[in-house]
Coordinates of all heavy atoms in Angstrom, one line a residue:
M25 N -43.6 48.0 -232.2 CA -44.7 48.2 -233.1 C -45.1 47.0 -233.9 O -46.2 46.7 -234.2 CB -44.3 49.4 -234.0 CG -45.4 49.9 -234.9 SD -46.7 50.6 -234.0 CE -47.8 51.1 -235.2
K26 N -44.1 46.2 -234.2 CA -44.3 44.9 -234.9 C -45.2 44.0 -234.2 O -46.1 43.3 -234.7 CB -43.0 44.3 -235.3 CG -42.2 45.0 -236.4 CD -41.0 44.3 -236.7 CE -40.2 45.0 -237.7 NZ -38.9 44.3 -238.1
H27 N -45.0 44.0 -232.8 CA -45.8 43.1 -232.0 C -47.2 43.5 -232.0 O -48.1 42.6 -232.0 CB -45.2 43.1 -230.6 CG -45.7 42.0 -229.7 ND1 -45.5 40.7 -229.9 CD2 -46.5 42.0 -228.6 CE1 -46.1 39.9 -229.0 NE2 -46.7 40.8 -228.2
V28 N -47.5 44.8 -231.9 CA -48.9 45.3 -232.0 C -49.5 44.9 -233.3 O -50.7 44.5 -233.3 CB -48.9 46.8 -231.7 CG1 -50.2 47.4 -231.9 CG2 -48.3 47.2 -230.4
L29 N -48.8 45.1 -234.4 CA -49.4 44.7 -235.7 C -49.7 43.2 -235.7 O -50.7 42.8 -236.3 CB -48.4 45.1 -236.8 CG -48.4 46.6 -237.1 CD1 -47.3 46.9 -238.1 CD2 -49.7 47.1 -237.5
K30 N -48.8 42.4 -235.2 CA -49.1 41.0 -235.1 C -50.3 40.6 -234.3 O -51.2 39.8 -234.8 CB -47.9 40.2 -234.5 CG -47.9 38.7 -234.7 CD -46.8 38.0 -234.1 CE -45.5 38.6 -233.8 NZ -44.5 37.8 -233.1
I31 N -50.5 41.3 -233.2 CA -51.7 41.0 -232.4 C -53.0 41.5 -233.1 O -54.0 40.8 -233.1 CB -51.5 41.7 -231.0 CG1 -50.5 41.0 -230.2 CG2 -52.9 41.7 -230.2 CD1 -50.1 41.7 -228.9
L32 N -52.9 42.7 -233.7 CA -54.1 43.2 -234.4 C -54.4 42.3 -235.6 O -55.6 42.1 -235.8 CB -53.8 44.6 -234.9 CG -53.8 45.7 -233.8 CD1 -53.5 47.1 -234.4 CD2 -55.2 45.8 -233.1
T33 N -53.4 41.8 -236.3 CA -53.7 40.9 -237.4 C -54.4 39.6 -236.9 O -55.3 39.1 -237.5 CB -52.4 40.6 -238.1 OG1 -51.8 41.8 -238.6 CG2 -52.6 39.7 -239.3
L34 N -53.9 39.1 -235.8 CA -54.5 37.9 -235.2 C -55.9 38.2 -234.8 O -56.8 37.3 -235.1 CB -53.7 37.4 -234.0 CG -54.1 36.2 -233.4 CD1 -54.0 35.0 -234.3 CD2 -53.3 35.9 -232.1
L35 N -56.2 39.3 -234.2 CA -57.5 39.6 -233.8 C -58.5 39.8 -235.0 O -59.6 39.4 -234.9 CB -57.6 40.9 -232.9 CG -57.0 40.7 -231.5 CD1 -57.0 42.1 -230.8 CD2 -57.8 39.8 -230.7
V36 N -58.0 40.4 -236.0 CA -58.8 40.6 -237.2 C -59.1 39.2 -237.8 O -60.3 39.0 -238.3 CB -58.1 41.5 -238.2 CG1 -58.8 41.5 -239.6 CG2 -58.1 43.0 -237.7
A37 N -58.1 38.4 -237.9 CA -58.3 37.0 -238.5 C -59.3 36.2 -237.7 O -60.2 35.6 -238.2 CB -57.0 36.3 -238.6
I38 N -59.2 36.3 -236.3 CA -60.1 35.6 -235.5 C -61.6 36.1 -235.6 O -62.5 35.4 -235.7 CB -59.6 35.6 -234.0 CG1 -58.4 34.7 -233.9 CG2 -60.7 35.1 -233.0 CD1 -57.7 34.8 -232.6
S39 N -61.7 37.5 -235.7 CA -63.0 38.1 -235.8 C -63.6 37.7 -237.2 O -64.8 37.4 -237.2 CB -62.8 39.6 -235.7 OG -62.4 40.0 -234.5
A40 N -62.8 37.7 -238.2 CA -63.3 37.3 -239.5 C -63.8 35.9 -239.5 O -64.9 35.5 -240.1 CB -62.3 37.5 -240.6
F41 N -63.0 35.0 -238.9 CA -63.4 33.6 -238.8 C -64.7 33.5 -238.0 O -65.6 32.7 -238.4 CB -62.3 32.8 -238.1 CG -62.6 31.4 -237.9 CD1 -62.6 30.5 -239.0 CD2 -62.9 30.8 -236.7 CE1 -62.9 29.2 -238.9 CE2 -63.1 29.5 -236.5 CZ -63.2 28.7 -237.6
W42 N -64.9 34.2 -236.9 CA -66.1 34.1 -236.1 C -67.3 34.7 -236.8 O -68.4 34.1 -236.8 CB -65.8 34.9 -234.8 CG -67.0 34.9 -233.8 CD1 -67.6 33.9 -233.3 CD2 -67.7 36.1 -233.3 NE1 -68.6 34.3 -232.5 CE2 -68.7 35.6 -232.5 CE3 -67.5 37.4 -233.5 CZ2 -69.5 36.5 -231.8 CZ3 -68.4 38.3 -232.8 CH2 -69.4 37.8 -232.0
I43 N -67.1 35.8 -237.5 CA -68.2 36.3 -238.3 C -68.6 35.4 -239.4 O -69.8 35.2 -239.7 CB -67.9 37.7 -238.8 CG1 -67.8 38.7 -237.7 CG2 -68.9 38.2 -239.9 CD1 -67.3 40.1 -238.0
G44 N -67.6 34.7 -240.0 CA -67.9 33.8 -241.0 C -68.7 32.6 -240.5 O -69.6 32.1 -241.1
L45 N -68.4 32.1 -239.3 CA -69.1 31.1 -238.7 C -70.6 31.5 -238.3 O -71.5 30.7 -238.4 CB -68.4 30.6 -237.4 CG -67.2 29.7 -237.6 CD1 -66.6 29.4 -236.2 CD2 -67.5 28.4 -238.3
L46 N -70.7 32.8 -238.0 CA -72.1 33.2 -237.7 C -72.9 33.3 -238.9 O -74.1 33.0 -238.9 CB -72.0 34.6 -237.0 CG -71.6 34.6 -235.5 CD1 -71.4 36.0 -235.0 CD2 -72.6 33.9 -234.7
E47 N -72.3 33.8 -240.0 CA -73.0 33.9 -241.3 C -73.4 32.6 -241.9 O -74.5 32.4 -242.5 CB -72.2 34.8 -242.3 CG -72.1 36.2 -241.8 CD -73.4 36.9 -241.6 OE1 -74.3 36.8 -242.5 OE2 -73.6 37.7 -240.6
T48 N -72.4 31.7 -241.9 CA -72.8 30.4 -242.5 C -73.3 29.5 -241.4 O -73.2 29.8 -240.2 CB -71.5 29.7 -243.0 OG1 -70.6 29.5 -241.9 CG2 -70.9 30.5 -244.1
S49 N -74.0 28.5 -241.7 CA -74.6 27.7 -240.7 C -73.8 26.3 -240.5 O -74.4 25.3 -240.5 CB -76.1 27.4 -241.0 OG -76.2 26.8 -242.3
L50 N -72.5 26.5 -240.4 CA -71.7 25.3 -240.2 C -71.9 24.7 -238.8 O -71.9 23.5 -238.6 CB -70.2 25.6 -240.4 CG -69.8 25.9 -241.8 CD1 -68.3 26.3 -241.9 CD2 -70.0 24.7 -242.7
I51 N -71.9 25.6 -237.8 CA -72.2 25.2 -236.4 C -73.4 26.0 -235.9 O -73.8 27.0 -236.5 CB -71.0 25.5 -235.5 CG1 -70.6 26.9 -235.4 CG2 -69.8 24.6 -235.9 CD1 -69.6 27.3 -234.4
P52 N -74.1 25.4 -235.0 CA -75.4 26.1 -234.5 C -75.0 27.5 -234.0 O -74.0 27.8 -233.4 CB -75.8 25.3 -233.3 CG -75.2 23.9 -233.5 CD -73.9 24.2 -234.3
R53 N -75.9 28.5 -234.3 CA -75.7 29.9 -233.9 C -75.6 30.0 -232.4 O -74.8 30.9 -232.0 CB -76.9 30.7 -234.4 CG -76.6 32.2 -234.4 CD -77.8 33.0 -234.9 NE -77.8 33.4 -236.3 CZ -77.0 34.3 -236.8 NH1 -76.0 34.7 -236.0 NH2 -77.1 34.7 -238.0
S54 N -76.2 29.2 -231.6 CA -76.1 29.4 -230.1 C -74.7 29.0 -229.7 O -74.2 29.6 -228.7 CB -77.1 28.5 -229.4 OG -76.9 27.1 -229.8
N55 N -74.0 28.1 -230.4 CA -72.6 27.8 -230.0 C -71.6 28.8 -230.6 O -70.6 29.1 -230.0 CB -72.2 26.4 -230.5 CG -73.0 25.3 -229.8 OD1 -73.5 25.5 -228.8 ND2 -73.0 24.1 -230.4
A56 N -72.0 29.4 -231.7 CA -71.1 30.4 -232.3 C -71.0 31.6 -231.5 O -69.9 32.3 -231.5 CB -71.5 30.7 -233.8
W57 N -72.0 32.0 -230.8 CA -72.0 33.2 -230.0 C -71.1 33.0 -228.8 O -70.6 34.0 -228.2 CB -73.4 33.6 -229.5 CG -74.2 34.3 -230.6 CD1 -75.2 33.8 -231.3 CD2 -74.0 35.6 -231.1 NE1 -75.7 34.7 -232.2 CE2 -74.9 35.8 -232.1 CE3 -73.1 36.6 -230.8 CZ2 -75.0 37.0 -232.9 CZ3 -73.1 37.8 -231.6 CH2 -74.1 38.0 -232.6
L58 N -70.8 31.8 -228.4 CA -70.0 31.5 -227.2 C -68.5 31.4 -227.6 O -67.7 31.4 -226.7 CB -70.5 30.3 -226.5 CG -71.8 30.3 -225.9 CD1 -72.2 28.9 -225.3 CD2 -71.9 31.4 -224.8
L59 N -68.2 31.4 -228.8 CA -66.8 31.3 -229.2 C -65.8 32.3 -228.7 O -64.7 32.0 -228.2 CB -66.7 31.2 -230.7 CG -67.1 29.8 -231.4 CD1 -67.0 29.9 -232.9 CD2 -66.3 28.7 -230.8
P60 N -66.2 33.6 -228.6 CA -65.3 34.6 -228.0 C -65.0 34.3 -226.5 O -63.9 34.5 -226.1 CB -66.0 35.9 -228.2 CG -66.9 35.7 -229.4 CD -67.3 34.3 -229.3
I61 N -66.0 33.9 -225.8 CA -65.8 33.5 -224.4 C -64.9 32.4 -224.3 O -64.0 32.4 -223.5 CB -67.2 33.3 -223.7 CG1 -68.0 34.5 -223.7 CG2 -67.0 32.8 -222.3 CD1 -69.5 34.3 -223.3
Y62 N -65.1 31.3 -225.1 CA -64.2 30.2 -225.1 C -62.7 30.6 -225.4 O -61.8 30.2 -224.9 CB -64.6 29.1 -226.1 CG -65.9 28.4 -225.7 CD1 -66.7 28.0 -226.7 CD2 -66.3 28.3 -224.4 CE1 -67.9 27.3 -226.4 CE2 -67.5 27.7 -224.1 CZ -68.3 27.2 -225.1 OH -69.5 26.6 -224.8
F63 N -62.6 31.6 -226.4 CA -61.3 32.1 -226.8 C -60.6 32.8 -225.6 O -59.4 32.6 -225.4 CB -61.4 33.0 -228.0 CG -60.1 33.6 -228.4 CD1 -59.1 32.8 -229.0 CD2 -59.9 34.9 -228.2 CE1 -57.9 33.3 -229.4 CE2 -58.7 35.5 -228.6 CZ -57.7 34.7 -229.2
V64 N -61.3 33.6 -224.9 CA -60.7 34.4 -223.8 C -60.3 33.4 -222.7 O -59.3 33.6 -222.1 CB -61.7 35.5 -223.3 CG1 -61.2 36.1 -222.0 CG2 -61.9 36.5 -224.4
V65 N -61.2 32.5 -222.4 CA -60.9 31.5 -221.4 C -59.6 30.7 -221.8 O -58.7 30.4 -220.9 CB -62.1 30.6 -221.0 CG1 -61.7 29.4 -220.2 CG2 -63.2 31.4 -220.4
S66 N -59.6 30.2 -223.0 CA -58.4 29.5 -223.5 C -57.2 30.3 -223.4 O -56.1 29.8 -223.1 CB -58.7 29.0 -224.9 OG -59.8 28.2 -225.0
L67 N -57.3 31.6 -223.8 CA -56.1 32.5 -223.7 C -55.6 32.6 -222.3 O -54.4 32.7 -222.0 CB -56.5 33.8 -224.3 CG -55.3 34.8 -224.6 CD1 -54.4 34.2 -225.6 CD2 -55.9 36.1 -225.2
G68 N -56.5 32.8 -221.4 CA -56.2 32.9 -219.9 C -55.5 31.6 -219.5 O -54.5 31.7 -218.7
C69 N -56.0 30.4 -219.9 CA -55.4 29.2 -219.5 C -54.0 29.1 -220.1 O -53.0 28.6 -219.4 CB -56.2 28.0 -219.9 SG -57.8 27.8 -219.0
Y70 N -53.8 29.5 -221.3 CA -52.5 29.5 -221.9 C -51.5 30.4 -221.2 O -50.4 30.0 -221.0 CB -52.6 29.9 -223.4 CG -51.3 30.0 -224.1 CD1 -50.6 28.9 -224.5 CD2 -50.8 31.3 -224.4 CE1 -49.4 29.1 -225.1 CE2 -49.6 31.4 -225.0 CZ -48.9 30.3 -225.4 OH -47.7 30.5 -226.0
G71 N -52.0 31.6 -220.8 CA -51.2 32.5 -220.1 C -50.7 31.9 -218.7 O -49.6 32.0 -218.4
L72 N -51.6 31.3 -218.0 CA -51.3 30.7 -216.7 C -50.3 29.5 -216.9 O -49.4 29.4 -216.1 CB -52.5 30.2 -216.0 CG -53.4 31.2 -215.4 CD1 -54.7 30.6 -214.9 CD2 -52.7 32.0 -214.3
L73 N -50.5 28.8 -218.0 CA -49.6 27.7 -218.3 C -48.2 28.2 -218.6 O -47.2 27.7 -218.1 CB -50.1 26.9 -219.5 CG -49.1 25.7 -219.9 CD1 -49.1 24.6 -218.9 CD2 -49.6 25.2 -221.3
M74 N -48.1 29.3 -219.4 CA -46.8 29.9 -219.7 C -46.1 30.5 -218.4 O -44.9 30.3 -218.3 CB -46.9 31.0 -220.7 CG -47.2 30.4 -222.1 SD -45.9 29.4 -222.8 CE -46.7 27.8 -222.7
V75 N -46.9 31.1 -217.5 CA -46.3 31.6 -216.3 C -45.8 30.4 -215.4 O -44.7 30.5 -214.9 CB -47.3 32.4 -215.5 CG1 -46.9 32.7 -214.1 CG2 -47.6 33.7 -216.2
G76 N -46.6 29.3 -215.4 CA -46.1 28.2 -214.6 C -44.9 27.5 -215.2 O -44.0 27.2 -214.4
I77 N -44.8 27.4 -216.5 CA -43.6 26.9 -217.1 C -42.4 27.8 -216.8 O -41.3 27.3 -216.5 CB -43.8 26.6 -218.6 CG1 -44.8 25.5 -218.8 CG2 -42.5 26.4 -219.3 CD1 -45.2 25.2 -220.2
G78 N -42.6 29.1 -216.9 CA -41.5 30.0 -216.7 C -41.0 29.9 -215.2 O -39.8 30.1 -215.0
L79 N -41.9 29.7 -214.3 CA -41.5 29.6 -212.9 C -40.8 28.3 -212.6 O -39.8 28.3 -211.8 CB -42.7 29.7 -212.0 CG -43.3 31.1 -211.8 CD1 -44.6 31.0 -211.0 CD2 -42.4 32.1 -211.2
T80 N -41.1 27.3 -213.3 CA -40.4 26.0 -213.1 C -39.1 26.0 -213.7 O -38.2 25.3 -213.3 CB -41.2 24.8 -213.6 OG1 -41.5 25.0 -215.0 CG2 -42.5 24.6 -212.9
R81 N -38.9 26.8 -214.8 CA -37.6 26.9 -215.4 C -36.8 28.1 -215.1 O -36.0 28.6 -215.8 CB -37.8 26.9 -217.0 CG -38.3 25.6 -217.5 CD -38.4 25.6 -219.0 NE -39.0 24.3 -219.5 CZ -39.2 24.1 -220.7 NH1 -39.0 25.1 -221.6 NH2 -39.7 23.0 -221.1
F82 N -37.1 28.7 -213.9 CA -36.5 30.0 -213.5 C -35.0 29.7 -213.4 O -34.6 28.8 -212.6 CB -37.1 30.4 -212.2 CG -36.7 31.8 -211.8 CD1 -37.2 32.9 -212.4 CD2 -35.7 32.0 -210.8 CE1 -36.8 34.2 -212.1 CE2 -35.3 33.3 -210.5 CZ -35.9 34.4 -211.1
P83 N -34.2 30.5 -214.1 CA -32.8 30.3 -214.1 C -32.1 30.7 -212.8 O -32.5 31.7 -212.2 CB -32.3 31.1 -215.3 CG -33.2 32.2 -215.4 CD -34.6 31.6 -215.0
T84 N -31.1 30.0 -212.4 CA -30.3 30.4 -211.3 C -29.1 31.1 -211.8 O -28.6 30.8 -212.9 CB -29.8 29.2 -210.4 OG1 -29.1 28.3 -211.3 CG2 -31.0 28.5 -209.8
C85 N -28.6 32.0 -211.1 CA -27.5 32.9 -211.5 C -26.4 32.8 -210.5 O -26.3 33.7 -209.6 CB -27.9 34.3 -211.7 SG -29.3 34.5 -212.8
P86 N -25.5 31.8 -210.6 CA -24.5 31.6 -209.5 C -23.5 32.8 -209.5 O -23.0 33.2 -208.4 CB -23.8 30.3 -209.9 CG -24.2 30.0 -211.3 CD -25.5 30.7 -211.5
H87 N -23.2 33.3 -210.6 CA -22.2 34.5 -210.7 C -22.8 35.7 -210.0 O -22.2 36.4 -209.2 CB -21.9 34.8 -212.1 CG -21.0 36.0 -212.3 ND1 -19.7 35.9 -211.8 CD2 -21.1 37.2 -212.8 CE1 -19.1 37.1 -212.0 NE2 -20.0 37.9 -212.6
E88 N -24.1 36.0 -210.3 CA -24.8 37.1 -209.6 C -24.9 36.9 -208.1 O -24.8 37.8 -207.3 CB -26.2 37.3 -210.2 CG -26.1 37.7 -211.7 CD -25.5 39.0 -211.9 OE1 -25.6 39.9 -211.1 OE2 -24.8 39.2 -213.0
A89 N -25.1 35.6 -207.7 CA -25.2 35.3 -206.2 C -23.8 35.6 -205.6 O -23.8 36.2 -204.4 CB -25.5 33.9 -206.0
L90 N -22.7 35.3 -206.2 CA -21.4 35.6 -205.7 C -21.2 37.1 -205.6 O -20.7 37.6 -204.6 CB -20.3 35.0 -206.5 CG -20.2 33.5 -206.4 CD1 -19.1 33.0 -207.4 CD2 -19.8 33.0 -205.0
L91 N -21.6 37.9 -206.6 CA -21.5 39.3 -206.6 C -22.3 39.9 -205.4 O -21.9 40.9 -204.7 CB -21.9 39.9 -207.9 CG -21.0 39.6 -209.1 CD1 -21.6 40.2 -210.4 CD2 -19.6 40.2 -208.8
L92 N -23.5 39.4 -205.2 CA -24.4 39.8 -204.1 C -23.7 39.6 -202.8 O -23.8 40.4 -201.9 CB -25.7 39.2 -204.2 CG -26.8 39.6 -203.2 CD1 -27.1 41.1 -203.3 CD2 -28.0 38.8 -203.3
Q93 N -23.1 38.4 -202.6 CA -22.5 38.1 -201.3 C -21.3 39.0 -201.1 O -21.1 39.5 -200.0 CB -22.0 36.6 -201.3 CG -23.1 35.6 -201.3 CD -23.8 35.7 -200.0 OE1 -23.3 36.0 -198.9 NE2 -25.1 35.4 -200.0
Q94 N -20.6 39.4 -202.1 CA -19.5 40.3 -202.0 C -20.0 41.7 -201.6 O -19.4 42.4 -200.8 CB -18.7 40.4 -203.3 CG -17.8 39.2 -203.6 CD -17.2 39.3 -205.0 OE1 -17.4 40.2 -205.8 NE2 -16.4 38.3 -205.3
D95 N -21.1 42.1 -202.2 CA -21.7 43.4 -201.8 C -22.1 43.4 -200.4 O -22.0 44.4 -199.7 CB -22.9 43.7 -202.8 CG -22.5 44.1 -204.2 OD1 -21.3 44.4 -204.4 OD2 -23.4 44.1 -205.1
I96 N -22.7 42.3 -199.9 CA -23.1 42.2 -198.5 C -21.9 42.3 -197.6 O -21.9 43.1 -196.6 CB -23.9 40.9 -198.3 CG1 -25.2 40.9 -199.0 CG2 -24.1 40.6 -196.8 CD1 -26.0 39.6 -199.0
V97 N -20.8 41.7 -197.9 CA -19.6 41.8 -197.1 C -19.1 43.2 -197.1 O -18.7 43.7 -196.0 CB -18.5 40.8 -197.6 CG1 -17.2 41.0 -196.9 CG2 -19.0 39.3 -197.3
E98 N -19.0 43.9 -198.2 CA -18.6 45.2 -198.3 C -19.5 46.2 -197.5 O -19.0 47.1 -196.8 CB -18.5 45.7 -199.8 CG -17.4 45.1 -200.6 CD -17.5 45.5 -202.0 OE1 -18.3 46.4 -202.4 OE2 -16.8 44.9 -202.9
A99 N -20.8 45.9 -197.6 CA -21.7 46.8 -196.8 C -21.5 46.6 -195.3 O -21.5 47.6 -194.5 CB -23.1 46.5 -197.2
K100 N -21.3 45.3 -194.9 CA -21.1 45.1 -193.4 C -19.8 45.8 -193.0 O -19.7 46.4 -191.9 CB -21.0 43.6 -193.2 CG -22.4 42.9 -193.2 CD -22.3 41.5 -192.8 CE -23.6 40.8 -192.7 NZ -23.5 39.4 -192.3
D101 N -18.7 45.7 -193.8 CA -17.5 46.3 -193.4 C -17.6 47.9 -193.4 O -17.1 48.5 -192.4 CB -16.4 46.0 -194.5 CG -15.9 44.6 -194.4 OD1 -16.2 43.9 -193.4 OD2 -15.3 44.1 -195.4
F102 N -18.4 48.4 -194.3 CA -18.6 49.9 -194.3 C -19.4 50.3 -193.1 O -19.0 51.3 -192.4 CB -19.4 50.2 -195.6 CG -19.8 51.7 -195.6 CD1 -18.8 52.7 -195.9 CD2 -21.1 52.1 -195.4 CE1 -19.2 54.0 -196.0 CE2 -21.4 53.4 -195.4 CZ -20.5 54.4 -195.7
L103 N -20.4 49.5 -192.7 CA -21.2 49.9 -191.5 C -20.4 49.7 -190.3 O -20.5 50.5 -189.3 CB -22.5 49.0 -191.5 CG -23.5 49.4 -192.6 CD1 -24.7 48.4 -192.5 CD2 -24.0 50.8 -192.3
M104 N -19.5 48.7 -190.2 CA -18.7 48.5 -189.0 C -17.7 49.6 -188.9 O -17.4 50.1 -187.7 CB -18.0 47.1 -189.0 CG -19.0 46.0 -188.8 SD -18.4 44.3 -188.8 CE -16.7 44.3 -188.7
Q105 N -17.2 50.2 -190.0 CA -16.3 51.3 -189.9 C -17.0 52.5 -189.4 O -16.4 53.4 -188.8 CB -15.7 51.6 -191.3 CG -14.7 50.6 -191.7 CD -14.2 50.8 -193.2 OE1 -14.7 51.7 -193.8 NE2 -13.3 50.0 -193.6
K106 N -18.3 52.6 -189.7 CA -19.1 53.8 -189.2 C -19.6 53.6 -187.8 O -20.2 54.5 -187.2 CB -20.3 54.0 -190.1 CG -19.9 54.3 -191.6 CD -19.3 55.7 -191.6 CE -19.0 56.1 -193.1 NZ -18.4 57.3 -193.2
G107 N -19.3 52.5 -187.2 CA -19.7 52.3 -185.8 C -21.0 51.6 -185.6 O -21.5 51.6 -184.5
V108 N -21.6 51.0 -186.6 CA -22.8 50.3 -186.5 C -22.6 48.9 -186.2 O -21.7 48.2 -186.8 CB -23.6 50.5 -187.9 CG1 -24.9 49.7 -187.8 CG2 -23.9 51.9 -188.2
D109 N -23.3 48.4 -185.2 CA -23.1 47.0 -184.8 C -23.9 46.1 -185.8 O -25.1 46.1 -185.8 CB -23.6 46.8 -183.4 CG -23.3 45.4 -182.9 OD1 -22.3 44.7 -183.4 OD2 -24.0 44.9 -182.0
V110 N -23.1 45.3 -186.5 CA -23.7 44.4 -187.5 C -23.5 43.0 -187.1 O -22.4 42.5 -186.9 CB -23.1 44.6 -188.9 CG1 -23.8 43.7 -189.9 CG2 -23.3 46.1 -189.4
A111 N -24.6 42.3 -186.8 CA -24.5 40.9 -186.3 C -24.1 40.1 -187.6 O -24.7 40.2 -188.6 CB -25.8 40.4 -185.8
S112 N -23.1 39.2 -187.4 CA -22.7 38.3 -188.5 C -23.6 37.1 -188.5 O -23.3 36.2 -187.7 CB -21.2 38.0 -188.4 OG -21.0 37.4 -187.1
T113 N -24.6 37.1 -189.3 CA -25.5 36.0 -189.4 C -25.3 35.3 -190.7 O -24.9 35.9 -191.7 CB -26.9 36.4 -189.2 OG1 -27.3 37.4 -190.2 CG2 -27.2 36.8 -187.8

């Protein structure tokens, strides 16, 4: 719930800033109308950047890999006891 409130607060602040820019003539009105589009595009680029960084820093889990290898060995033994031909690859 706290995350939702943080997002809503941010959206209200950005909307208030945008409306303020529209009401005052600090920047041309034609540019002020495009600010939400620029914001959405920037947010998308930021999201893609964070996904890319997350993929490059993807953690390896050597302990989990060993547990998985043990599970595979146990499964092959179980299947061989049941008479299933398991190729050892």
Side-chain angles (χ1 to χ4, degrees):
M25 187 64 180
K26 289 181 181 179
H27 193 64
V28 172
L29 287 175
K30 191 184 338 179
I31 291 172
L32 287 175
T33 304
L34 182 65
L35 287 175
V36 167
I38 290 171
S39 298
F41 180 72
W42 180 57
I43 290 171
L45 284 177
L46 285 174
E47 293 300 319
T48 61
S49 56
L50 291 176
I51 60 174
R53 195 179 259 296
S54 61
N55 292 345
W57 282 108
L58 295 175
L59 286 178
I61 295 171
Y62 293 149
F63 177 71
V64 170
V65 170
S66 299
L67 192 62
C69 291
Y70 173 75
L72 286 174
L73 178 69
M74 289 297 110
V75 168
I77 289 173
L79 286 174
T80 59
R81 293 184 180 176
F82 191 74
T84 56
C85 306
H87 179 67
E88 296 297 325
L90 291 174
L91 291 176
L92 181 62
Q93 290 296 328
Q94 290 174 354
D95 287 344
I96 291 172
V97 169
E98 289 176 11
K100 283 184 178 181
D101 291 340
F102 175 76
L103 289 173
M104 285 177 19
Q105 289 175 359
K106 297 291 184 183
V108 177
D109 184 25
V110 180
S112 56
T113 56

